[in-house]
């Protein structure tokens, strides 16, 4: 198989690298050409324009920042003319509504479309251990399974297009909510003179423990948020997507709206490119961002 990989940023780069390591023929495009350097070194073919990659491949993997980027890269006049007969696999985080709209545009251009967002970060992407959630018809799922298994051992068919996108947003809502809840408890026990070690000893033995707490503990304690696997700006985007869709579903979103306020404050503290655990700094800064 020959795969066009469009979007080689924080997650796209290790995912594309994984395909190369597995012997998949890869042609890559990124709007920032410098991000292609590691893939060139690993043997990827690169192109200046996305339509060149789409035209040369059987499968088109999208790992782009947002829907606007997808329309620009995949569905511009030049690119959309190359989509006919191609299997498009959208793997970024977008809303279910947007995913269905993109599907309709791809089908209108003569292509085939499925969604396959992933759960996990750079280490899992490098090792091919991402959780892959698929929104597709059963035959589409079967036709793409060989490729998707390079990213994660057991891609899960969730339902039709839109269902996997929705599941991904639900999980990212948990990432935001769990991390902010943990940060608030950690900040509180520190304010009371309780050592984090004691707090964690009790927490790990309880039913409310989640492994993500240990993954973020040291960053929060040290105030070190560099080299993120998932930056604040991306979690802000995903949280806004979730709120938008959950409101449409008639759900009470007041809890996640509170988390979004904390994330917005984190952004204002010039941490948009830091690891999302940096929301702890906004929690410690107080309600009005005061130290």
């Amino acid at each position: 198989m020959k795969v066009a990989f469009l979007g080689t940023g924080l997650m796209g780069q290790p995912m594309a690298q994984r395909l190369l390591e597995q012997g998949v023929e890869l042609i890559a495009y990124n709007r920032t050409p410098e991000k292609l350097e590691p893939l060139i070194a690993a043997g990827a073919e690169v192109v200046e324009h996305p339509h060149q990659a789409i035209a040369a491949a059987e499968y088109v993997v999208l790992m782009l920042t947002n829907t606007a980027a997808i329309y620009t890269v995949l569905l511009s006049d030049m690119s959309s003319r190359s989509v006919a007969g191609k299997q498009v696999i959208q793997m970024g985080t977008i809303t279910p509504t947007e995913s269905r709209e993109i599907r309709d545009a791809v089908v209108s251009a003569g292509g085939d479309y499925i969604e396959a967002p992933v759960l996990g970060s750079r280490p899992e992407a490098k090792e091919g251990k991402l959780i892959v959630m698929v929104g597709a018809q059963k035959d589409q799922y079967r036709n793409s399974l060989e490729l998707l298994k390079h990213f994660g051992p057991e891609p899960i068919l969730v339902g039709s297009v839109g269902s996997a996108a929705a599941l991904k947003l639900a999980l990212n809502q948990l990432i935001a909510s769990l991390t902010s809840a943990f940060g608030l408890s950690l900040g509180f026990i520190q304010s009371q003179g309780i050592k984090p070690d004691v707090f964690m000893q009790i927490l790990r033995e309880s039913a409310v423990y989640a492994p993500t707490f240990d993954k973020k503990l040291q960053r929060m304690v040290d105030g070190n948020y560099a080299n993120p696997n998932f930056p604040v700006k991306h979690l802000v985007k995903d949280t806004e997507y979730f709120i938008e869709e959950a409101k449409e579903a008639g759900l009470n979103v007041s809890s996640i709206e509170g988390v979004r306020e904390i994330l917005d404050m984190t952004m204002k503290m010039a941490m948009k490119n830091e690891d999302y655990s940096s929301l702890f700094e906004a929690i410690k800064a107080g309600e009005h961002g005061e130290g």
Side-chain angles (χ1 to χ4, degrees):
M1 67 179 75
K2 189 167 188 178
V3 176
F5 206 105
L6 310 181
T8 59
L10 200 62
M11 280 293 286
Q13 191 273 327
M15 289 171 68
Q17 187 95 27
R18 172 74 182 172
L19 291 181
L20 289 167
E21 289 170 0
Q22 295 294 302
V24 175
E25 195 176 353
L26 190 80
I27 181 165
Y29 167 81
N30 197 74
R31 291 180 296 172
T32 307
E34 299 79 54
K35 292 183 178 178
L36 293 166
E37 295 296 335
L39 296 177
I40 294 171
E45 181 184 348
V46 301
V47 291
E48 289 185 24
H49 304 287
H51 69 87
Q52 296 168 318
I54 296 165
E58 302 163 59
Y59 294 88
V60 180
V61 173
L62 307 177
M63 199 63 187
L64 296 158
T65 308
N66 52 32
T67 309
I70 293 172
Y71 275 99
T72 300
V73 172
L74 182 73
L75 296 168
S76 65
D77 287 345
M78 287 291 286
S79 292
S80 63
R81 286 201 289 270
S82 304
V83 164
K86 310 298 181 179
Q87 176 65 68
V88 176
I89 305 176
Q90 198 299 112
M91 302 193 75
T93 305
I94 59 176
T95 71
T97 302
E98 290 167 336
S99 190
R100 287 187 285 264
E101 288 171 354
I102 293 164
R103 174 201 57 197
D104 294 346
V106 168
V107 170
S108 294
D112 199 30
Y113 175 93
I114 69 171
E115 61 187 13
V118 297
L119 190 66
S121 54
R122 286 178 62 84
E124 290 81 15
K126 289 175 182 176
E127 295 169 12
K129 293 182 178 177
L130 293 165
I131 297 171
V132 183
M133 299 159 278
V134 187
Q137 299 303 313
K138 286 182 180 177
D139 60 332
Q140 294 174 309
Y141 170 73
R142 285 193 294 267
N143 292 340
S144 301
L145 195 55
E146 182 186 352
L147 174 58
L148 294 175
K149 279 187 172 180
H150 291 302
F151 302 117
E154 295 181 21
I156 300 161
L157 179 59
V158 179
S160 59
V161 167
S163 60
L167 181 54
K168 169 64 171 168
L169 288 185
L171 291 162
N172 279 22
Q173 186 275 145
L174 271 178
I175 289 172
S177 294
L178 283 172
T179 305
S180 61
F182 175 70
L184 183 57
S185 289
L186 179 63
F188 180 71
I189 65 105
Q190 286 181 319
S191 75
Q192 303 299 309
I194 300 165
K195 292 181 179 179
D197 287 351
V198 175
F199 170 56
M200 292 305 298
Q201 181 182 349
I202 302 297
L203 180 57
R204 289 186 194 109
E205 295 298 318
S206 77
V208 297
Y209 173 73
T212 188
F213 299 157
D214 265 310
K215 288 186 177 181
K216 297 306 176 186
L217 173 66
Q218 208 56 50
R219 280 188 179 275
M220 290 179 175
V221 170
D222 296 342
N224 178 10
Y225 310 109
N227 302 313
N229 289 322
F230 192 45
V232 174
K233 63 183 179 183
H234 291 342
L235 189 56
V236 168
K237 179 206 75 169
D238 295 353
T239 301
E240 288 173 352
Y241 281 167
F242 177 86
I243 291 170
E244 173 189 328
E245 293 282 323
K247 279 183 176 178
E248 284 288 320
L251 299 173
N252 184 329
V253 296
S254 56
S255 61
I256 189 63
E257 284 181 328
V259 174
R260 184 179 63 179
E261 287 180 18
I262 292 167
L263 288 167
D264 287 344
M265 190 186 299
T266 310
M267 294 276 281
K268 289 173 184 173
M269 295 169 75
M271 293 184 177
K272 69 176 184 178
N273 293 313
E274 302 294 293
D275 186 84
Y276 67 89
S277 55
S278 59
L279 60 78
F280 185 52
E281 299 302 317
I283 289 171
K284 290 192 299 180
E287 189 176 356
H288 304 291
E290 299 162 356

